[in-house]
Amino acid sequence: MKLSRNGLRASAIGALVVSGALVLSACGSDNNNEPTKDGGKTSAAASNVKCDGAKGQLLAAGSSAQKNAMDLWVKNFQAACSGVEVNYQAIGSGGGITKFNQGQVTFAGSDSALKDEEVAESQKICKGGKGINLPMVGGPIAIGYKLDGVDNLVLDAPTLAKIFDTKITKWNDPAIAKLNPSAKLPDSTIQAFHRSDESGTTQNLGKYLSATAKADWKYDPKTKSWPAPGGQAANGSSGVATAVKDAEGSIGYFELSYATANKISTVSINTGAAAPVAATTENASKAIAAAKVKGTGSDLALSLDYTTKAEGAYPITLVTYEIACDKGNKAETLPTLKAFLNYTASEEGQKVLSDAGYAPLPAEIAAKVREIVPTLS
């Protein structure tokens, strides 16, 4: 089955806009602030899993943005396939890619596609092949804040860039006041928090700022490490969310589920649309729906439009990928890898995402993933 990129995009627009919540737990260390998992509905879903020779242990690591989805997938897969163990460590995108390129895991989860140098490095592990990006789910990155008396805060990209680059340090700065004329902004210092670990969440925020505030954010948009001076660091999105929750006058970035779980107020973004856009799953869907496939061959890396001005489209988003070798996989783990990824991308595997608050893949992108996985060798 041949699918054009235009076809993928068109289908994505329909499927993602009507899809369910995109709530993701953060790309970072696992902890008690994460949303609760599904109560254990495995029997029906497990009955549709095709084991196809799966056996033994499958090691994987990376983004914990997909951790709750992974928990469901692993539970169902192991229930259906006797003697199989899938061990996924939610250690963050950067850590997962490192382990993958060192040959320590069979696949990695990442909230950003492999960089060119990471693809080149993967060729040492993927004998005769390379690492490829297979999208599985996406969602919004919220800008959370704690500011007593300010329940609704609007920021635009240049102002956000200056805050995180410590060029704006007071909450009543004229740039913030202009965007919030009715708010009672205090003359207090802004405490800006960022990730201390390598993260696809950081990278996606950097890509947004680079694309929309070029004059104010001059850092490498490809880096997963926080590039700007100043501010305060915390480990994982969970650590950033906890810091923001506990500190008056603070601001930080993390997946929307952490804002929801911690009851943290979130910023609406002035994108140039008729009205500022709130950080909601539905609004993120509108932005992600316009994603284009930029990968070639069996690689399905997506290009997100961070500069969108579409009405109601929240622009700070991410897509989580499973990263695997297209060729050169180990013979002893290949059947299990293919069977597991076939399941996660299957209609049955995608349906269980709704139980954990995720959005299923757009239909034709899922079909393309299902077309590619059996070709892994």
Side-chain angles (χ1 to χ4, degrees), residues 313-334:
Y314 184 78
I316 316 175
T317 57
L318 60 78
V319 171
T320 296
Y321 301 91
E322 312 309 336
I323 294 169
C325 294
D326 59 353
K327 299 177 182 178
N329 289 281
K330 295 179 180 178
E332 60 268 27
T333 57
L334 180 59

Side-chain angles (χ1 to χ4, degrees), residues 117-157:
E117 56 267 32
E118 291 169 338
V119 173
E121 189 177 354
S122 74
Q123 293 175 326
K124 300 175 184 177
I125 299 300
C126 306
K127 302 299 183 182
K130 63 181 180 180
I132 58 172
N133 304 283
L134 301 173
M136 286 296 170
V137 70
I141 301 171
I143 307 299
Y145 71 97
K146 183 176 182 179
L147 196 60
D148 287 346
V150 181
D151 297 325
N152 298 293
L153 184 67
V154 176
L155 296 174
D156 57 15

